[in-house]
Each structure stands twice: as structure tokens, then as C-alpha cells.
Amino acid sequence: MKTNALLEFFFFFSAALFAITTAEIVLDSEGHPLKNGGNYSLSTTDPTGEIAYAYINGEGGLSLAVVVNSSEAGWTTNIISPCATQNITTYSPLWISFLNLPPPWNENPLWVVTHEPEFGEAVMVMIEEPLSGCFFIKPFNSTYSQYKLVFFYEHGKCGHVGVKNDSHGNHRLVVTEDEVQPLVVVFHNETRDEVVASDISMVV
Ligand SMILES: *[C@@H]1O[C@H](CO)[C@@H](O)[C@H](O)[C@H]1NC(C)=O
Ligand SMILES: *[C@@H]1O[C@H](CO)[C@@H](O)[C@H](O)[C@H]1NC(C)=O
Ligand SMILES: *[C@@H]1O[C@H](CO)[C@@H](O)[C@H](O)[C@H]1NC(C)=O
Ligand SMILES: *[C@@H]1O[C@H](CO)[C@@H](O)[C@H](O)[C@H]1NC(C)=O
Ligand SMILES: *[C@@H]1O[C@H](CO)[C@@H](O)[C@H](O)[C@H]1NC(C)=O
Ligand SMILES: *[C@@H]1O[C@H](CO)[C@@H](O)[C@H](O)[C@H]1NC(C)=O
């Protein structure tokens, strides 16, 4: 019930906020619509790299943070909208999670946003004590299927996702209201079911 009330709030809120623009279908790097429930890796420009996770040893012990890493392959995410939509649009509230995380994080793989003292007012995208909210994908440059991520959270606050370096040299994803540039992302289809199926039949 709590979730339903929250979603209702986001539907009204996003409808009011985005009423002047029309919903656009979000496209992956090959120009295909992003599928609700599909698997995607995210690459970024400035900093150039891939969205991945990093271990952070903080006050609360070891946790995972969402980062940009230039030397690692992109970590696959699963992108789900609770809306009954087949193609994800720029109006779809979203939950993003990492696939195939090591235990114990695989039990709670959703990206969540939380306050972290090191970043003052900024809010981190990571896997710990969440603020309630939803992500949205918003256009950045449609020529290159480039998008930015926006997070709507408690008390009607909203910020775009950008990057800040932490004291360990990690490029952490943060939710910020203005002082950081939005992170520009491109979605890569990681649904490889047909490839896997043909590999299996060749082995057999
Ligand atoms: C996404 O990946 C997971 C884990 O590999 C798999 O179980 C799931 O079927 C995939 N989803 C799609 C839509 O391919
Ligand atoms: C989703 O996108 C595909 C490809 O553009 C299109 O054929 C299909 O009709 C779309 N589905 C919905 C429900 O809009
Ligand atoms: C998108 O990229 C093209 C080509 O680099 C550029 O001409 C255009 O101004 C860009 N649009 C935006 C909104 O940045
Ligand atoms: C973050 O670190 C990279 C190198 O690791 C550096 O190039 C960049 O300027 C730093 N960004 C900020 C905002 O400090
Ligand atoms: C990127 O990932 C590699 C391999 O996991 C790691 O060695 C490196 O420290 C990471 N760099 C940053 C900036 O997170
Ligand atoms: C993603 O790639 C798989 C395998 O090539 C393909 O079956 C699927 O249709 C693609 N998904 C989209 C949304 O383009």
C-alpha cells in the first residue's frame, strides 16, 4: 500500500511536471526501444567509462556504490517500470538494479539513493538505506541516443544524476540539484538470449 501511494504520487507529480513536453520512447545504442524489464549496460561520456560498482569501506562497513569506471566492462543492469508499458519512455518511473552481484548484495540489487556525510548535501546512488524515489530517463542528445538520469524523491525534490570523486578516487554517481553536470549515458542491449541458445545447441 505504501508503494502504491508512492507511485500514485509520482504519476501525478511527473504528469504535472512534464505536462508541457510529450513522452518519447527511449532508444538503446542501436536505435531500438528500451524494453521494460530489459537488461542493459550503460556507458558514459565525461567521464568516459562504464557504469559499474565499487566496494566502499565506510562508517557503516563495506557497501557497494554505483560508479563510472574507465577500465572495467559495464555491469549489466535490469531496468523495470511499474507502469504497464512495453517500451520505456521519458515519462516512465524506473527501478534500476545490477544483475549478478556477489552475495550478500544480490539479495538487494536495486540502485538506491542515500545521504552520505562526505558529500554534504549531495545524495549518493548506492545500495544502502534508501530515500524513497524513482529514476526517470530524460533526453540529452537524440542524435547519439544520449540520455541523462533524473531522480525524484521525498518531499517533491528532484535532481539529475552526476559524478563526484570520493576521497578514494572512485567516480561516484550522485543526485545533485545543479552544481554538477548531468552524466550523459547510452544504453547497450545486453539481452543475449538467442546467442546463448545457439551456443548451447552447438555444444550439444
Ligand atoms: C536479464 O538477465 C537475467 C540474469 O542473467 C535473466 O534471468 C533475465 O531473463 C534477463 N532478462 C531479459 C529480458 O533478457
Ligand atoms: C514498442 O516499440 C516497438 C518498436 O518501435 C513498436 O513496434 C511497438 O508497437 C511499441 N509498443 C508499444 C506498446 O508502444
Ligand atoms: C547533439 O550532437 C550534435 C552533433 O555533435 C550537435 O550538433 C548538437 O548540438 C547536439 N545537441 C545537443 C542538444 O547537445
Ligand atoms: C576526478 O578524478 C579524475 C581523475 O581520476 C580527474 O581527471 C577529474 O578532474 C576529477 N574530477 C573532479 C571533479 O575532481
Ligand atoms: C576500475 O576497476 C578496476 C578493476 O576492477 C579497478 O582496479 C580500478 O581501481 C577501478 N578504478 C576506479 C577509478 O574506480
Ligand atoms: C537485444 O538483443 C537480443 C539478442 O540479439 C535481441 O533478441 C533483442 O530483440 C534485443 N532487444 C531489443 C530491445 O532490441
Side-chain angles (χ1 to χ4, degrees):
M1 267 187 38
K2 204 178 165 196
T3 310
N4 285 343
L6 185 69
L7 283 177
E8 223 164 86
F9 166 78
F10 282 115
F11 287 133
F12 282 117
F13 190 63
S14 61
L17 202 82
F18 307 135
I20 35 168
T21 59
T22 50
E24 283 175 34
I25 288 180
V26 177
L27 303 177
D28 70 13
S29 59
E30 290 168 358
H32 299 128
L34 236 64
K35 293 294 173 199
N36 190 358
N39 294 340
Y40 296 91
S41 62
L42 282 62
S43 64
T44 71
T45 59
D46 194 27
T48 306
E50 306 282 335
I51 302 277
Y53 67 83
Y55 289 97
I56 303 293
N57 209 344
E59 283 173 15
L62 200 63
S63 61
L64 287 190
V66 186
V67 301
V68 176
N69 188 317
S70 55
S71 57
E72 201 160 28
W75 204 257
T76 305
T77 66
N78 180 245
I79 302 179
I80 290 187
S81 176
C83 296
T85 176
Q86 185 190 358
N87 297 327
I88 287 171
T89 75
T90 51
Y91 276 24
S92 311
L94 301 171
W95 296 320
I96 305 175
S97 57
F98 277 130
L99 286 174
N100 308 320
L101 285 175
W105 290 282
N106 57 348
E107 285 167 19
N108 230 335
L110 275 185
W111 288 16
V112 300
V113 177
T114 187
H115 287 286
E116 194 170 280
E118 181 180 346
F119 290 93
E121 287 305 296
V123 181
M124 302 300 301
V125 178
M126 56 184 286
I127 299 169
E128 213 173 56
E129 300 184 24
L131 296 174
S132 303
C134 281
F135 291 98
F136 287 83
I137 297 168
K138 295 291 166 192
F140 185 79
N141 192 330
S142 55
T143 313
Y144 299 108
S145 298
Q146 290 176 334
Y147 296 90
K148 58 185 180 178
L149 299 174
V150 174
F151 188 70
F152 282 82
Y153 57 112
E154 289 154 4
H155 312 302
K157 285 199 219 160
C158 158
H160 60 253
V161 174
V163 169
K164 276 192 178 175
N165 295 347
D166 71 10
S167 52
H168 305 287
N170 294 306
H171 307 310
R172 308 274 300 263
L173 266 61
V174 299
V175 172
T176 172
E177 303 210 350
D178 49 17
E179 84 269 31
V180 176
Q181 292 275 80
L183 182 67
V184 179
V185 298
V186 174
F187 297 90
H188 303 273
N189 179 9
E190 297 290 350
T191 302
R192 299 267 156 72
D193 42 359
E194 283 164 356
V195 178
V196 172
S198 67
D199 280 354
I200 290 167
S201 63
M202 281 172 73
V203 170
V204 170

